[in-house]
Amino acid sequence: MSNDSQYLQSVLHSDIPLTREMGMEVIDWQAHTLRLKLPLAPNVNHKSTMFGGSLYCGAVLVGWGWLHLRLRELGIDDGHIVIQEGQISYPLPVTGAAVARCPAPDEKTWERFLTMYQRRGRARLTLETVVSNEGSDEPAVTFSGQYVLHR
């Protein structure tokens, strides 16, 4: 596990205790894509598939973690990240472990976000995240979240 991954996992587990109970692990942070893993056992529902609320947490937190790591790389550590709004869809059940993934937004959007934050101390960024069954690329969950960074 890279230093960034270890760092983020300790932040998640200490700042958001629920992530410990869920067994959330940081898989990797590569090429500005973050991946998290959720085991089935602590997140199971009455149908032996993954609980929708756990999937929602995974989808939200992979975006939160993405933004946290990206800002840290740039040495921006004076802000608080909150989720303001989210749209979620559950096209497939998750029958085993889940992998949540957040790729980078396009460069123009990112630059605009940073400029706004530096100018106003508050900015909003939409991140698209996906959760899949481990070993599959097919989306089991698609999520679009509006994250706010404020001083």
Side-chain angles (χ1 to χ4, degrees):
M1 195 191 278
S2 76
N3 285 343
D4 287 323
S5 300
Q6 276 172 322
Y7 161 77
L8 182 61
Q9 189 165 307
S10 69
V11 167
L12 286 170
H13 287 186
S14 64
D15 291 5
I16 306 167
L18 176 66
T19 59
R20 263 201 321 264
E21 302 301 318
M22 295 169 76
M24 185 178 283
E25 284 172 47
V26 177
I27 300 173
D28 54 20
W29 168 244
Q30 284 176 334
H32 291 151
T33 295
L34 177 64
R35 293 190 311 154
L36 304 177
K37 183 174 172 178
L38 284 174
L40 181 61
N43 298 294
V44 75
N45 67 15
H46 60 293
K47 298 222 188 264
S48 303
T49 60
M50 198 167 287
F51 172 55
S54 293
L55 290 166
Y56 186 85
C57 286
V60 167
L61 286 167
V62 75
W64 186 93
W66 185 93
L67 189 48
H68 192 91
L69 287 177
R70 197 67 188 87
L71 291 167
R72 181 174 181 247
E73 282 185 350
L74 298 172
I76 300 171
D77 58 5
D78 61 348
H80 303 279
I81 304 165
V82 293
I83 179 97
Q84 186 179 50
E85 204 179 305
Q87 294 80 38
I88 196 159
S89 161
Y90 301 90
L92 290 174
V94 174
T95 53
V99 175
R101 189 175 79 251
C102 183
D106 74 87
E107 204 51 44
K108 258 206 184 89
T109 304
W110 177 244
E111 292 299 331
R112 200 175 313 128
F113 168 78
L114 285 177
T115 303
M116 183 66 79
Y117 181 66
Q118 277 146 1
R119 195 177 297 157
R120 302 228 175 113
R122 183 183 173 89
R124 184 154 69 151
L125 181 68
T126 299
L127 292 172
E128 308 289 336
T129 73
V130 178
V131 185
S132 303
N133 281 279
E134 190 175 31
S136 166
D137 284 335
E138 223 179 328
V141 173
T142 57
F143 177 77
S144 177
Q146 284 79 54
Y147 295 83
V148 174
L149 178 66
H150 66 87
R151 281 196 190 105

